[in-house]
Every structure is written in structure tokens, then in C-alpha cells.
Amino acid sequence: MAKKKRSQGRKGGKGNFFGFVRPWFWFTLRLLPFVIIILACGGIFIGVKDALYADASLGIQKIEVIPADSLSANQRQALDSMLRGRNIMNADLKKVSRMLEKDPGVHHAVVVKQLPSQISVTVERRHAVACIQFVSQGNCGMVSEDGVVLDVVPAKNVTSLIIESFESSKREPQLGMKVDVRGF
């Protein structure tokens, strides 16, 4: 008959525990230099970023608008008050672009940083192609190619093409209104 083997009991359990911990210890020991390098690079990045944001020589000193006459005096003043003197790294270019595009006369505005201290604004303006009239004796709206009313003028002062849209639900053109007339 065969002999039964006795289990080792505590001795085998203790050996299994150290056998499990040893690979994790060596893995951690090998990974530690990479973690230290990553943390050091992150610290350096944050330090450089903070230094750039605090640098006084990166303040916006010049705002160039292309073409020069594309913004009104009020728009130019708002642009100057929003940007001039601020750190160029903190300037929110999308916000400036959206602010300029709220004007119905501005079709598209592109704002670009030019380091160290200049902002360039390129403006594409809308141009009136016709006048639209919603009632026979009402005012006319100067309309751009994409259907935005740029200005409201009396019908007697119009010298360009007049589009009569009496079937529209609108009665009076309003500045910045998008014309939703079928076929326009």
C-alpha cells in the first residue's frame, strides 16, 4: 500500500507569501525611476508655465487689424480694452473672435497670437447685395449674400435692387436678422 504524504503546513504557506511579494517588490523597484522622471518633468512644465504667465514682457502691446478699416471705433476700443496689457498666454482668442462675429457686418474673424507681444485680427466683412422689403410702404433691409440684414433704411433712399417679400410673416427688417425667405 502507498504511503500518505503529509502536508508541510505552515512552512509551505510562508514560502508562498514571499514568493508572491518578491516579484512585486522588484517590479516597483524598476518602475520607481520612471515615476520620478515623469513627476520631475511635470514639475518643470508647471514651473515654466507659471513663469510664462507671470512674465511682464509678454504683455500685449500691439493689436493689428487687417484690413485696418474693417472695425468701427467702438469695436476697436472694446478690443483694446479686452486685450491690451494682458499676458499674451492668457488671451482667449476664441472669445475675442466670437465677440467680433456678433456684429452683423462681420462675417468671420480670425485672431492669431504673434509672440512676444502682438495680436493679429483678420476680419472678413459682409457686403450688401440687395434690399429686402416685407411690406409695400415699410423700411428696407440691406441684405448680404448669406441673408443677414446689415442695415435698415427708408425705402425712398434705396438705389439698389429691391426684393419684395410680402408673403413673409415678418413686417419690419431688424439689424442682424437672418432672412428666411424661400428662394433667397
Side-chain angles (χ1 to χ4, degrees):
M1 194 160 157
K3 288 186 175 182
K4 283 187 174 180
K5 289 187 179 181
R6 285 190 174 178
S7 64
Q8 294 286 326
R10 297 252 175 207
K11 188 175 180 183
K14 193 174 183 182
N16 286 341
F17 175 73
F18 286 118
F20 174 74
V21 171
R22 180 180 288 164
W24 282 105
F25 176 73
W26 288 111
F27 175 74
T28 306
L29 200 57
R30 288 182 183 167
L31 188 64
L32 192 59
F34 295 113
V35 171
I36 291 172
I37 290 172
I38 289 172
L39 289 176
C41 288
I44 290 170
F45 173 77
I46 290 172
V48 169
K49 183 180 116 181
D50 290 343
L52 286 174
Y53 284 166
D55 191 359
S57 65
L58 291 176
I60 299 171
Q61 297 172 1
K62 183 178 179 188
I63 301 170
E64 178 185 27
V65 179
I66 304 168
D69 62 342
S70 60
L71 296 179
S72 68
N74 290 338
Q75 289 173 322
R76 181 65 189 212
Q77 185 177 15
L79 192 64
D80 281 348
S81 66
M82 181 185 280
L83 294 175
R84 194 169 299 272
R86 290 191 58 197
N87 190 307
I88 198 165
M89 303 305 263
N90 289 334
D92 187 2
L93 303 183
K94 291 189 185 292
K95 181 180 175 184
V96 172
S97 180
R98 283 191 305 265
M99 185 219 32
L100 291 173
E101 289 173 354
K102 285 181 182 177
D103 177 21
V106 176
H107 183 260
H108 190 64
V110 178
V111 184
V112 179
K113 295 177 185 177
Q114 294 179 343
L115 294 175
S117 62
Q118 182 175 340
I119 296 284
S120 178
V121 181
T122 305
V123 178
E124 183 182 335
R125 304 242 357 133
R126 288 186 173 104
H127 300 285
V129 293
C131 291
I132 192 162
Q133 190 174 27
F134 295 116
V135 293
S136 62
Q137 297 300 320
N139 290 333
C140 291
M142 301 295 287
V143 182
S144 67
E145 290 177 347
D146 59 345
V148 176
V149 177
L150 302 175
D151 195 12
V152 178
V153 295
K156 61 184 176 185
N157 294 344
V158 175
T159 59
S160 64
L161 173 68
I162 296 178
I163 300 171
E164 295 176 341
S165 178
F166 300 145
E167 73 278 356
S168 174
S169 62
K170 307 269 194 282
R171 293 291 157 225
E172 200 62 33
Q174 298 172 351
L175 188 66
M177 177 178 88
K178 181 84 170 162
V179 175
D180 58 352
V181 176
R182 191 181 75 189
F184 182 78

